[in-house]
Amino acid sequence: MKYFPIKIAVACLLVTPFLYLVTLSWCEKTLDNAYSNRVQNILMGDTAPVLEGRIRIEEQVAKNIEAFLRSDSLLTRLHIDMDVSVASGSGRIIYPLFSDVDALINDMTHGISAQETAKNNYDVLNRGLTVTARTSLNHGSPLSLILLGVFSGISFLIFLAFYRTASARAAKESLESVELISELQNKKEVQKKHLEELNSERKKLFADIEQM
């Protein structure tokens, strides 16, 4: 096709994956920030057991985070992989729980009083806790497939619009060409008929002259 939108087709093929990757990266950063704040808000929950030394702060944090991750509808429905880490002001990892293996072994071996646990918990709280959430949107995840489908659909609609415009233009030119050819043929027929009339009149004129 003379007016096939080849440039638009190439542009759609190149721009679609670019926009998909940029948007996917933006979604990851947005989710990271949003969930870091949300986890920060539910981090401690009921602080009474922590301050009274009935539970280690690491266990309280782990219990609250895991319950939050299991119950969050966005994460579960879209199968979003999220890694959460919590560190104290001194840099000690509070969550994931298995990161503090030495302290856990020490507690299990020597035991620790509620008062000492409360003191340790208070020290950690006093230094502050920093939450980091990292989202991993795999290319096969529902959210990534939705984004890819949206951008592919938009690109297809844009290409379709240009294709229809080009097709209409080509059809118009084709019709104009047919009309022009028809008009030329009609003119040719008129001229042919006119020539035939002139020949007929000339023959008649010659016949009249011969009779004189």
Side-chain angles (χ1 to χ4, degrees):
M1 182 187 292
K2 181 180 178 181
Y3 295 108
F4 183 80
I6 184 66
K7 293 182 179 180
I8 299 299
V10 172
C12 289
L13 290 174
L14 295 177
V15 171
T16 297
F18 173 75
L19 291 177
Y20 161 73
L21 293 174
V22 169
T23 305
L24 197 66
S25 176
W26 176 82
C27 286
E28 286 181 339
K29 292 179 181 178
T30 302
L31 289 172
D32 289 349
N33 294 331
Y35 275 90
S36 292
N37 294 330
R38 292 184 65 183
V39 172
Q40 185 80 48
N41 292 333
I42 58 91
L43 198 59
M44 293 308 303
D46 183 9
T47 58
V50 175
L51 296 178
E52 293 171 3
R54 287 185 278 131
I55 186 173
R56 295 172 66 234
I57 191 171
E58 292 86 351
E59 297 171 3
Q60 177 81 344
V61 168
K63 181 179 68 174
N64 291 336
I65 291 177
E66 289 167 7
F68 170 77
L69 294 178
R70 284 195 304 268
S71 62
D72 187 81
S73 58
L74 182 63
L75 298 179
T76 54
R77 290 178 182 176
L78 297 181
H79 303 286
I80 298 175
D81 294 329
M82 178 166 290
D83 295 324
V84 178
S85 63
V86 181
S88 66
S90 61
R92 182 163 68 89
I93 301 298
I94 303 299
Y95 181 84
L97 187 59
F98 60 80
S99 297
D100 196 11
V101 176
D102 293 337
L104 183 60
I105 293 175
N106 183 64
D107 292 351
M108 294 174 63
T109 305
H110 302 95
I112 185 171
S113 65
Q115 184 177 1
E116 190 172 351
T117 299
K119 181 179 180 301
N120 292 337
N121 292 343
Y122 180 79
D123 289 341
V124 172
L125 286 174
N126 195 39
R127 291 190 180 96
L129 298 174
T130 302
V131 177
T132 302
R134 296 191 182 279
T135 306
S136 178
L137 296 177
N138 299 319
H139 294 298
S141 65
L143 182 57
S144 65
L145 293 177
I146 290 172
L147 291 175
L148 185 59
V150 168
F151 285 119
S152 297
I154 293 174
S155 295
F156 175 75
L157 291 176
I158 292 174
F159 170 77
L160 186 62
F162 278 92
Y163 178 78
R164 286 182 174 177
T165 302
S167 298
R169 185 176 180 183
K172 182 181 178 181
E173 286 198 358
S174 178
L175 180 61
E176 290 175 349
S177 298
V178 170
E179 291 176 349
L180 179 61
I181 292 173
S182 178
E183 183 180 353
L184 291 174
Q185 288 178 340
N186 291 335
K187 286 183 178 180
K188 184 178 179 181
E189 291 295 327
V190 170
Q191 288 177 352
K192 183 179 179 181
K193 186 177 181 180
H194 184 63
L195 287 174
E196 290 176 350
E197 290 176 353
L198 288 176
N199 287 331
S200 177
E201 289 179 1
R202 187 181 65 176
K203 288 179 180 179
K204 184 179 179 182
L205 180 61
F206 284 154
D208 292 341
I209 294 174
E210 289 177 354
Q211 291 177 358
M212 289 179 63

